């Protein structure tokens, strides 16, 4: 099957290509900027999305039409149907899925082009009022936590930004952990926020507020979360070894994706505690940087926690933030209470702007480089 590379950053161009790949006769499309994607893909492929996340090496994820549509329909079954706003980059799964959800619902998404600001978001939201059979069509959008923080901070000062947040029937928030304090502030402004969990390999978010979407199953095996369902990717293009390692088939024929995330599943509810591989050894004790970051973000919402060398302990957590004020003592105390002394951050490194990937996620490698340069 032929594969067309989409190099344009214009979300309208990406939308045109996604429409043909998912609902039309093709061809399949390649997104993500990889230069070495093979020109041929398996039958049924809609999108090959190359991503390396915030760390690791690039991987080209093969997503079929059926997986993407299944995910979109499961989302509609959970939160409802309506008009979608796309404020995310089209070269990432979250942006692609906003497009697919909108197209499956029979409406092109509204597109927030250019730089994301509270003003541009409010303007886009105000233009989404439409009616069907005399009733207003519900509106939906998907954000990363950094975008939600921008909107909440503006909404606490400007009623127009608050009204824009409150105008959506549901705001999906994913891509990284959403701090409880930020969610509470958004809810106080009238926003209806749903936390999502998923990855490119699961066609985007597949667990909403801890509950898997219809048709999706979650399990914890030796502390690692696994996902099964019709939304799973076919694998990694041109990389059978990595595919075999990440996607395992049980004797009963069920196929599971090994997420690499640590967590538990209890009474049907999924709890994610962090990346299995995002662990340092501090003073001989394994420390999950994700757990430390989760606690730090309740005090500094934009905190990113990375590991850095330490003469005495070998390696210690370090908080990177754009925030001001002396929060180190409060963070150290909170971390010690919940995790223990070895997990306490050694220091705070302040930056004028948090390094981010084009997806909006923190660039952890760049953040660690800032810490190492700071000494």
């Amino acid at each position: 099957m032929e594969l067309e590379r989409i190099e344009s950053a214009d979300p309208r161009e990406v939308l045109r290509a996604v429409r043909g790949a998912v609902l039309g006769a093709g061809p399949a499309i390649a997104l993500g900027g990889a230069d070495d994607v093979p020109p041929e893909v398996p039958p049924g492929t809609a999108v090959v999305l190359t991503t390396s996340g915030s760390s690791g090496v690039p991987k080209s994820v093969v997503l079929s039409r059926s997986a993407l549509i299944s995910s979109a329909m499961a989302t509609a079954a959970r939160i409802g149907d309506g008009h979608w706003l796309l404020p995310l980059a089209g070269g990432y799964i979250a942006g692609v899925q906003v497009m697919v959800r909108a197209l499956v619902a029979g409406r092109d998404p509204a597109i927030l082009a250019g730089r994301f600001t509270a003003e541009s978001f409010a303007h886009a939201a105000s233009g989404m009022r439409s009616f069907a059979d005399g009733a207003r069509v519900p509106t939906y959008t998907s954000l990363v936590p950094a975008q939600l923080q921008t909107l909440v901070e503006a909404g606490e000062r400007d009623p127009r930004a608050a009204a824009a947040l409150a105008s959506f029937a549901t705001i999906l928030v994913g891509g990284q952990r959403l701090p409880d304090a930020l969610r509470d502030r958004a809810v106080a402004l009238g926003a209806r926020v749903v936390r999502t969990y998923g990855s490119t390999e699961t066609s985007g978010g597949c667990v909403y507020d801890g509950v898997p979407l219809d048709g999706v199953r979650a399990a914890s095996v030796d502390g690692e979360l696994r996902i099964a369902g019709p939304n799973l990717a076919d694998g990694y293009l041109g990389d059978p070894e990595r595919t075999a390692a990440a996607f395992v088939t049980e004797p009963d024929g069920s196929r599971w994706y090994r997420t690499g995330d640590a967590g538990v599943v209890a009474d049907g509810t999924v709890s994610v505690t962090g990346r299995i591989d995002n662990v340092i050894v501090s003073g001989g004790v394994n420390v999950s940087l994700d757990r430390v970051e989760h606690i730090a973000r309740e005090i500094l919402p934009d905190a990113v926690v990375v590991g850095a060398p330490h003469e005495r302990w070998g390696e210690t957590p370090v908080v990177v933030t754009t925030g001001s004020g002396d929060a180190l003592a409060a963070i150290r105390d909170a971390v010690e209470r919940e995790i223990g002394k070895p997990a306490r951050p050694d220091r705070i490194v302040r930056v004028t702007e948090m390094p981010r990937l084009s997806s909006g996620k923190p660039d952890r490698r760049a953040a660690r480089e800032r810490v190492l340069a700071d000494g």
Side-chain angles (χ1 to χ4, degrees):
M1 183 175 180
E2 183 184 353
L3 182 68
E4 177 186 354
R5 186 186 309 279
I6 305 299
E7 297 181 352
S8 173
D10 185 342
R12 293 171 179 82
E13 289 296 314
V14 178
L15 175 63
R16 175 198 60 78
V18 168
R19 179 187 287 109
V22 176
L23 300 184
I29 60 174
L31 300 172
D35 296 326
D36 56 352
V37 176
E40 296 290 326
V41 291
T45 300
V47 176
V48 175
L49 212 163
T50 300
T51 176
S52 60
S54 56
S55 61
V57 296
K59 50 190 177 181
S60 296
V61 183
V62 179
L63 294 163
S64 67
R65 293 186 182 90
S66 61
L68 291 168
I69 291 174
S70 173
S71 176
M73 293 180 67
T75 292
R78 178 65 58 86
I79 67 173
D81 234 341
H83 192 188
W84 282 83
L85 171 64
L86 174 63
L88 302 163
Y92 293 85
I93 188 59
V96 169
Q97 264 300 14
V98 168
M99 296 180 190
V100 176
R101 293 173 193 134
L103 293 172
V104 168
R107 293 181 175 87
D108 280 6
I111 294 176
L112 196 164
R115 182 169 171 265
F116 181 91
T117 64
E119 292 76 15
S120 64
F121 181 87
H123 179 74
S126 69
M128 295 181 68
R129 295 183 65 89
S130 60
F131 295 83
D133 299 325
R136 185 180 175 187
V137 175
T139 56
Y140 302 89
T141 192
S142 180
L143 302 171
V144 295
Q147 291 174 318
L148 182 62
Q149 182 177 345
T150 296
L151 297 174
V152 167
E153 290 174 349
E156 291 172 339
R157 303 185 309 267
D158 183 353
R160 291 172 297 180
L165 273 172
S167 69
F168 289 89
T170 302
I171 298 176
L172 303 180
V173 181
Q176 64 189 96
R177 185 186 291 272
L178 172 64
D180 292 339
L182 178 57
R183 181 184 183 279
D184 292 344
R185 290 167 65 193
V187 170
L189 293 172
R192 289 166 286 276
V193 173
V194 171
R195 286 185 173 100
T196 69
Y197 168 74
S199 65
T200 305
E201 288 87 347
T202 63
S203 298
C206 61
V207 177
Y208 286 13
D209 280 339
V211 180
L213 294 176
D214 293 349
V216 175
R217 290 181 291 161
S220 180
V221 179
D222 296 328
E224 179 187 37
L225 289 174
R226 296 188 180 187
I227 299 293
N231 56 311
L232 291 191
D234 289 342
Y236 302 110
L237 190 62
D239 198 338
E241 290 185 3
R242 178 179 284 176
T243 297
F247 296 88
V248 296
T249 301
E250 299 294 333
D252 63 2
S254 59
R255 184 169 175 264
W256 294 81
Y257 168 59
R258 299 182 58 184
T259 66
D261 291 321
V264 296
V265 181
D267 298 325
T269 300
V270 179
S271 298
V272 184
T273 56
R275 291 291 298 175
I276 288 176
D277 54 3
N278 197 20
V279 173
I280 63 171
V281 180
S282 182
V285 177
N286 288 344
V287 173
S288 166
L289 297 178
D290 294 302
R291 292 186 66 192
V292 177
E293 184 173 285
H294 174 55
I295 296 167
R297 283 190 171 181
E298 297 302 326
I299 299 169
L300 292 172
D302 77 334
V304 171
V305 175
V306 299
H310 191 279
E311 284 188 11
R312 182 174 183 182
W313 306 116
E315 202 168 11
T316 57
V318 175
V319 177
V320 182
T321 181
T322 61
S324 59
D326 186 8
L328 181 59
I331 292 174
R332 282 170 62 87
D333 288 346
V335 169
E336 181 177 345
R337 284 195 305 271
E338 296 195 33
I339 305 177
K341 285 185 177 181
R344 293 180 302 179
D346 177 61
R347 63 190 188 278
I348 291 178
V349 172
R350 302 188 187 281
V351 294
T352 55
E353 185 176 356
M354 184 65 68
R356 295 190 181 278
L357 302 168
S358 57
S359 63
K361 295 181 181 181
D363 187 334
R364 299 182 188 279
R365 283 175 290 181
R368 188 171 188 272
E369 288 172 3
R370 298 277 186 93
V371 168
L372 296 177
D374 184 72

